[in-house]
Amino acid sequence: MSARTHLDALKVREGYWFAQKLYGYGAVPVTWQGWLTTLTYVALVALLAWLMPTGALKLIAIVPVSAAYLYFIWTRTDGGFRWRWGPEKKD
C-alpha cells in the first residue's frame, strides 16, 4: 500500500476537521482547526489535573470536558466514527 493511498484516505470535505482513523475506531485531526482543538483539549485536561486537589475532583472536572471534546470531534469527523481495517479501496 503506497503512501499516496494513505494520504488520500485522510482528506476531508469542506467543514470537517477530523478524518476517520485508517485502522481501528475513532478520528485523527487533519486540519489546523482539528489540531488546535486537540491541543486545547490536552492543555485544558493538564490544567485541570494540576489545579484539582484530589483524584475525585479531577475526575469530576475532566470527564465532562472529555465527553464534550469527544462529541465535538464526532460532529466534525468526515464520515463519523466506525471501525476500519485500512484505507478503503476505490475501484
Side-chain angles (χ1 to χ4, degrees), residues 4 24 28-30 32 34-35 39 41 46 51 61 77:
R4 171 53 86 202
V28 293
V30 293
W32 70 267
W35 282 105
L39 292 174
Y41 165 73
L51 290 176
T77 299

Side-chain angles (χ1 to χ4, degrees), residues 13 23 54:
R13 294 176 289 166
Y23 295 91
T54 66

Side-chain angles (χ1 to χ4, degrees), residues 44-66:
L44 182 58
V45 167
L47 181 66
L48 289 172
W50 181 65
L51 290 176
M52 296 295 130
T54 66
L57 287 176
K58 289 177 186 183
L59 190 63
I60 290 170
I62 292 172
V63 166
V65 169
S66 296

Side-chain angles (χ1 to χ4, degrees), residues 7-91:
L7 291 174
D8 288 342
L10 293 175
K11 290 183 180 177
V12 293
R13 294 176 289 166
E14 185 75 26
Y16 292 100
W17 300 352
F18 297 86
Q20 292 178 351
K21 289 175 64 175
L22 294 179
Y23 295 91
Y25 188 80
V28 293
V30 293
T31 65
W32 70 267
Q33 296 98 329
W35 282 105
L36 182 62
T37 302
T38 301
L39 292 174
T40 302
Y41 165 73
V42 169
L44 182 58
V45 167
L47 181 66
L48 289 172
W50 181 65
L51 290 176
M52 296 295 130
T54 66
L57 287 176
K58 289 177 186 183
L59 190 63
I60 290 170
I62 292 172
V63 166
V65 169
S66 296
Y69 172 70
L70 285 173
Y71 176 76
F72 182 78
I73 66 170
W74 177 70
T75 63
R76 294 285 184 197
T77 299
D78 192 5
F81 286 8
R82 66 181 176 90
W83 187 268
R84 294 189 58 185
W85 292 100
E88 293 177 356
K89 296 177 181 167
K90 296 178 183 171
D91 296 327

